[in-house]
Amino acid sequence: MKTLPFDLNDVKRWTKDVPTPFYIYDEEGIRKCVNDLNAAFAWNKGFKEYFAVKALPNPSIIRLLKSLGCGTDCASVTEVLLAQKCGIDGHNIMFSSNETSRAEYRAALDAGAIINLDDVTHIEFLEQMGPLPDTFCCRYNPGKFNITNDIMGHLYDSKFGMTLEQLKEAFAILKSKGVKHFGIHSMIASCSLDEEYYPRLAEELFRLALEIREELDINVEFIDLSGGIGIPYLPNERAVDIFAIGEGVRQVYERMIKPAGIEIKLFTEMGRYITGPYGYLVTTAIHYKHIYKEYIGVDASCCDLMRPAMYGAYHHLTVLGKENEPFVGKFDVVGSLCENNDKFAIDRPLPKVDLGDILVLHDAGAHGHAMGYNYNGKLRCAELMMHKDHSTTMIRRAESIEDYFATLDVDPAFGK
Ligand SMILES: *Cc1c(COP(=O)(O)O)cnc(C)c1O
């Protein structure tokens, strides 16, 4: 059963100041999640979570995560600037980008970030921009690798990372150019609920690190297991036990790395796992429509949360205050876009929904607001942080019509 950390009275209080739709994030939930993650990997000296900024690029969230010891994983100029504005700099930024532009590398280099190289050809690209930093991470794409059922598509079709040969070549070139510190990164699963995923990925990367030590006389100082740990979107799914995952990785470390008499720092770049379950999209039922099917129209649209439209993703839905009422039928819960995929739920069993009822979409804290967009002239909604005492802080206001028109100031009708 999916539950909420707030109730109808809370929402009624909040909506006096902030109209729906809006996102709300549970500060205590995120705090506990990160503390548990850090505890699960406390056995590894140097363990660090680099939060994948793309999942929830809000400075209040980033500052909260920083206070809990996290760095950030960034992939663009704006993500780097956002991290820096939150006081995160240097090696506390992992820069894991792909098809990176010069401007993006410039921002990462200026910040002193760890560059996580996506391809061997990028070494030359970077050299044209100035001296190479003394630390590099290289992204590995193992091609064929059946360690979990939650693989991100077929790895031969994945545009990310280097082949084994290219990765070794990159390490050799970097070493010859005076680079001193090395790491390996790999991300080959998405939303994995398999507790064996990290241990088996770690095993593969530890093996690779030992091979590189042997063949190239390079000490791989850190291994970045990246993101990919999943959350239970469906009510019948079970959350992973992060302590079991940490322990699983520890056992592989003890078996493979300890006997070599070396130490390797472990990094993660989780996004979804850190904030996904602790974010909610709050919306109001504004219409009821009966044609060939039954529709409940809400004031949010897939411009606010595109995962159902984009991936057919399931997001659990609670009709606030009616948690214990019986289902009266199956409904499509839809937004207002002129697109027939603007549906938060299809054939969802729900209690009787009255106009004005508050509907809460669960598990929207990662890749939710972040993926928002302006199609049909929709304006992105506000984000709130819910504190321990259920008071809230607005951590991003809703977009205004002025915001929407701001880039049209090149047009005389809109110019200042
Ligand atoms: C998206 C991404 C992540 C975060 O993935 P989650 O599935 O949200 O944990 C981490 N690292 C890189 C390089 C990514 O692209």
Side-chain angles (χ1 to χ4, degrees):
M1 238 275 280
K2 286 205 172 263
T3 58
L4 292 168
F6 52 82
D7 62 19
L8 183 57
N9 286 329
D10 290 321
V11 175
K12 279 184 173 160
R13 204 169 64 247
W14 303 334
T15 50
K16 282 188 189 136
D17 301 318
V18 186
T20 59
F22 58 80
Y23 273 84
I24 186 136
Y25 306 111
D26 172 11
E27 182 178 12
E28 285 308 299
I30 295 172
R31 200 185 288 280
K32 177 173 184 332
C33 179
V34 175
N35 286 337
D36 284 353
L37 169 67
N38 284 333
F41 282 89
W43 56 267
N44 181 260
K45 235 180 353 184
F47 171 78
K48 194 172 189 74
E49 152 71 3
Y50 289 85
F51 177 68
V53 171
K54 72 167 192 248
L56 181 44
N58 187 293
S60 299
I61 298 288
I62 304 297
R63 278 188 217 104
L64 168 64
L65 295 174
K66 177 178 185 268
S67 77
L68 301 170
C70 299
T72 52
D73 172 45
C74 302
S76 64
V77 174
T78 35
E79 287 184 358
V80 170
L81 292 178
L82 183 68
Q84 287 183 296
K85 286 255 187 211
C86 298
I88 298 176
D89 233 319
H91 282 192
N92 291 322
I93 301 178
M94 184 67 65
F95 190 71
S96 301
S97 68
N98 175 254
E99 307 313 334
T100 318
S101 71
R102 228 169 269 277
E104 284 163 337
Y105 271 135
R106 186 77 271 151
L109 291 168
D110 289 349
I114 301 177
I115 307 281
N116 182 17
L117 216 56
D118 189 63
D119 193 56
V120 60
T121 60
H122 288 213
I123 299 173
E124 213 178 301
F125 190 86
L126 272 166
E127 275 188 302
Q128 292 164 6
M129 299 178 58
L132 296 177
D134 68 357
T135 301
F136 267 93
C137 184
C138 285
R139 183 166 184 170
Y140 177 44
N141 179 338
K144 190 159 171 285
F145 199 37
N146 291 327
I147 59 166
T148 169
N149 295 323
D150 307 306
I151 286 290
M152 296 199 297
H154 201 299
L155 291 172
Y156 288 127
D157 295 333
S158 163
K159 67 170 183 161
F160 300 107
M162 306 179 222
T163 67
L164 181 62
E165 294 69 32
Q166 290 170 337
L167 185 112
K168 288 181 181 171
E169 186 191 347
F171 272 48
I173 295 173
L174 290 169
K175 186 185 174 195
S176 75
K177 294 183 183 295
V179 171
K180 298 274 183 300
H181 309 284
F182 296 86
I184 307 175
H185 167 283
S186 194
M187 177 165 187
I188 57 180
S190 182
C191 200
S192 175
L193 291 172
D194 182 352
E195 286 168 2
E196 284 301 307
Y197 170 55
Y198 265 7
R200 295 186 66 183
L201 176 62
E203 182 176 16
E204 178 74 10
L205 298 182
F206 290 161
R207 185 169 23 247
L208 182 54
L210 295 173
E211 209 172 292
I212 284 168
R213 186 171 132 90
E214 186 77 17
E215 289 174 24
L216 300 170
D217 194 25
I218 288 173
N219 284 325
V220 173
E221 294 176 27
F222 61 91
I223 280 183
D224 185 344
L225 299 173
S226 191
I229 299 295
I231 60 172
Y233 286 101
L234 293 164
N236 62 354
E237 286 175 325
R238 195 174 63 84
V240 298
D241 176 354
I242 199 67
F243 291 96
I245 292 176
E247 174 58 19
V249 176
R250 190 188 69 79
Q251 286 177 13
V252 181
Y253 189 95
E254 290 289 318
R255 174 160 57 79
M256 300 180 71
I257 301 304
K258 268 281 169 65
I262 53 175
E263 286 189 4
I264 295 183
K265 287 185 272 194
L266 290 176
F267 299 158
T268 54
E269 300 173 343
M270 298 187 195
R272 192 190 312 274
Y273 182 75
I274 302 295
T275 57
Y278 313 107
Y280 306 85
L281 175 58
V282 180
T283 183
T284 304
I286 57 172
H287 291 291
Y288 183 79
K289 179 171 182 175
H290 162 75
I291 44 173
Y292 308 103
K293 295 183 79 174
E294 313 295 319
Y295 294 94
I296 294 164
V298 296
D299 60 2
S301 75
C302 67
C303 285
D304 299 300
L305 176 64
M306 87 186 292
R307 296 188 72 259
M310 191 170 172
Y311 307 117
Y314 179 95
H315 280 267
H316 198 66
L317 206 160
T318 296
V319 183
L320 262 193
K322 297 187 175 175
E323 289 85 342
N324 299 317
E325 292 192 13
F327 297 147
V328 296
K330 290 183 174 176
F331 303 86
D332 285 10
V333 178
V334 300
S336 60
L337 291 197
C338 308
E339 284 287 337
N340 199 37
N341 64 355
D342 185 9
K343 296 174 181 172
F344 290 115
I346 296 173
D347 295 329
R348 185 74 58 91
L350 290 175
K352 180 172 182 299
V353 175
D354 294 300
L355 301 189
D357 276 355
I358 299 286
L359 274 57
V360 179
L361 286 146
H362 294 240
D363 302 306
H367 316 293
H369 191 279
M371 281 190 182
Y373 56 109
N374 286 123
Y375 192 54
N376 255 177
K378 295 292 175 183
L379 304 173
R380 268 167 284 208
C381 69
E383 296 177 291
L384 309 181
M385 184 86 92
M386 181 181 82
H387 309 295
K388 198 171 186 173
D389 63 357
H390 290 204
S391 66
T392 60
T393 305
M394 186 179 290
I395 58 173
R396 187 192 299 270
R397 66 165 170 81
E399 280 179 349
S400 66
I401 291 172
E402 290 71 31
D403 294 327
Y404 184 85
F405 287 155
T407 48
L408 288 172
D409 55 6
V410 292
D411 182 299
F414 294 86
K416 294 178 187 91

